[in-house]
Amino acid sequence: AQSVTQPDIHITVSEGASLELRCNYSYGATPYLFWYVQSPGQGLQLLLKYFSGDTLVQGIKGFEAEFKRSQSSFNLRKPSVHWSDAAEYFCAVGARRDTGNQFYFGTGTSLTVIP
Amino acid sequence: EPEVTQTPSHQVTQMGQEVILRCVPISNHLYFYWYRQILGQKVEFLVSFYNNEISEKSEIFDDQFSVERPDGSNFTLKIRSTKLEDSAMYFCASKWSQETQYFGPGTRLLVL
């Protein structure tokens, strides 16, 4: 069965520190992988996505993620966190087909940034 | 930049009442979705809609739920008789034919 695990419910980092948010997935085939961010009162904004090719993908706001097939992981990273990065982060997987396929989400990781 | 919009942002209702949650997907998109997130839990898929019919639905999407695209721009989710456990954030999403789904800001539904 398809599933996404985000082991860290909540992470606190200092502004300027590096960040890594973990995501592991279980999927029957090679999936499409996504990271979304949700700021308070806002919708889910796409940070980045992986479909194929280079396993290190760059996204908006200085985020990047690396797909590791052997570990079934798609961890999100940022070298230097800004206070405005405080938000909820969701990892999601989707099927490799151009139909009304659903996404499977993790439970999210809440990021707090301290000055 | 085009966005998915949802109304209302918050809705409070009594158990047993009907609610309609509204979404305006991005205008040239063809696939439409509803998800929900119960507080502290995962974002869960409810239903997908394409070519004026449901293409996929989850176990959550029982007979109490229905979706409609009444006028070519709106996409609605109706809950006929709300239960306490329907309290959640409901997200609408849409996509064209590429893989990325674009999400709205959500409607927080509270059933008392």
Side-chain angles (χ1 to χ4, degrees), chain B residues 5-6 20-25 31-34 47-50 53-54 66-77 91-94:
Chain B
T5 59
Q6 290 185 242
I20 297 176
L21 310 183
R22 292 183 168 80
C23 168
V24 179
Y31 298 87
F32 313 107
Y33 306 82
W34 284 101
V47 66
S48 60
F49 192 85
Y50 171 71
E53 61 182 20
I54 291 173
S66 63
V67 290
E68 196 175 38
R69 187 156 163 80
D71 57 11
S73 63
N74 290 282
F75 180 51
T76 61
L77 174 70
F91 292 105
C92 173
S94 69

Side-chain angles (χ1 to χ4, degrees), chain A residues 10-65:
Chain A
H10 187 246
I11 284 182
T12 299
V13 298
S14 299
E15 191 168 14
S18 64
L19 172 71
E20 182 169 27
L21 303 183
R22 295 183 288 166
C23 172
N24 293 95
Y25 67 89
S26 173
Y27 202 78
T30 304
Y32 292 131
L33 295 159
F34 305 83
W35 274 98
Y36 286 86
V37 61
Q38 184 182 29
S39 298
Q42 304 295 310
L44 295 168
Q45 180 185 22
L46 180 69
L47 277 178
L48 47 76
K49 58 191 177 186
Y50 171 77
F51 292 160
S52 64
D54 192 348
T55 56
L56 184 64
V57 293
Q58 302 297 319
I60 62 171
K61 305 184 180 185
F63 285 92
E64 65 178 27

Side-chain angles (χ1 to χ4, degrees), chain A residues 32 36 98-101 103, chain B residues 35 48 56 95 97 99-101:
Chain A
Y32 292 131
Y36 286 86
D98 185 26
T99 64
N101 55 289
F103 278 8
Chain B
Y35 292 80
S48 60
E56 198 171 356
K95 73 172 188 178
S97 64
E99 300 77 6
T100 302
Q101 295 179 22

Side-chain angles (χ1 to χ4, degrees), chain B residues 9-112:
Chain B
S9 58
H10 294 80
Q11 172 119 29
V12 181
T13 189
Q14 295 290 324
M15 191 170 56
Q17 294 297 303
E18 174 185 286
V19 295
I20 297 176
L21 310 183
R22 292 183 168 80
C23 168
V24 179
I26 294 172
S27 63
N28 63 341
H29 284 189
L30 302 176
Y31 298 87
F32 313 107
Y33 306 82
W34 284 101
Y35 292 80
R36 79 172 185 191
Q37 184 185 27
I38 295 172
L39 190 64
Q41 298 185 22
K42 295 185 179 192
V43 177
E44 303 172 289
F45 168 77
L46 292 178
V47 66
S48 60
F49 192 85
Y50 171 71
N51 200 26
N52 286 318
E53 61 182 20
I54 291 173
S55 51
E56 198 171 356
K57 62 182 180 179
S58 71
E59 293 177 352
I60 303 168
F61 194 87
D62 61 21
D63 292 344
Q64 292 300 311
F65 291 88
S66 63
V67 290
E68 196 175 38
R69 187 156 163 80
D71 57 11
S73 63
N74 290 282
F75 180 51
T76 61
L77 174 70
K78 182 192 292 187
I79 309 174
R80 288 193 184 82
S81 178
T82 50
K83 308 184 189 72
L84 296 176
E85 54 264 37
D86 294 327
S87 295
M89 178 74 92
Y90 288 81
F91 292 105
C92 173
S94 69
K95 73 172 188 178
W96 176 54
S97 64
Q98 59 191 340
E99 300 77 6
T100 302
Q101 295 179 22
Y102 294 87
F103 286 79
T107 293
R108 185 168 295 284
L109 175 65
L110 179 61
V111 182
L112 301 176

Side-chain angles (χ1 to χ4, degrees), chain A residues 8-9 14-15 22 25 28 37 41-42 44 50 60 67 77 80 84 86-87 91 93 97-98 100 106 110 113:
Chain A
D8 305 304
I9 296 172
S14 299
E15 191 168 14
R22 295 183 288 166
Y25 67 89
V37 61
Q42 304 295 310
L44 295 168
Y50 171 77
I60 62 171
F67 170 56
R77 300 194 294 250
S80 177
S84 60
C91 181
V93 300
R97 51 190 170 91
D98 185 26
S110 177
V113 180

